[in-house]
Amino acid sequence: EVIQSGAIKIKALQQRREKLEGISETIRSLKALKDVHRAMMSSINTGEVGKAADYARSVLTCLKNDSYENFSALHKIGYSMQRSIITIRQKTDKALKRLCCRKFAALE
């Protein structure tokens, strides 16, 4: 009976450990998404719109995963990403306009 009780307790502890490992992995994943979001914002501020667009695409693609839909903090990040896409587009358009102006001004 003591051996059986010990085996049941070990099994319960193993299941708990597996559950905690899953939670730990989810937390690491959430932190990684936040880090990518910060990197995107930094890239926008430094004018690296190509990098910023890649970061935004990456995070928005990840947020489509069903496992993230229950995290309210990620809804805010997703909303922020969507707003930032407008800024990325505006900065890209300005850079393209400057490039075109230089290119055609050199031809004249």
Side-chain angles (χ1 to χ4, degrees), residues 2 24-25 32 50 54 61 71 77 79-80 88 95:
V2 173
S24 178
E25 180 63 31
D54 285 341
T61 301
F71 293 98
I77 289 176
Y79 181 69
S80 174
I88 292 169

Side-chain angles (χ1 to χ4, degrees), residues 33-34 36-60 63 74-93:
L33 284 175
K34 283 184 80 172
V36 172
H37 179 257
R38 282 191 203 108
M40 183 210 63
M41 297 305 284
S42 175
S43 294
I44 288 173
N45 291 334
T46 59
E48 298 175 281
V49 291
K51 277 186 178 180
D54 285 341
Y55 290 141
R57 180 193 50 79
S58 175
V59 171
L60 289 173
L63 292 177
L74 292 181
H75 293 294
K76 292 177 185 176
I77 289 176
Y79 181 69
S80 174
M81 286 288 184
Q82 290 171 355
R83 281 192 335 239
S84 297
I85 289 174
I86 295 168
T87 304
I88 292 169
R89 176 63 191 263
Q90 290 169 344
K91 287 186 177 235
T92 302
D93 289 346

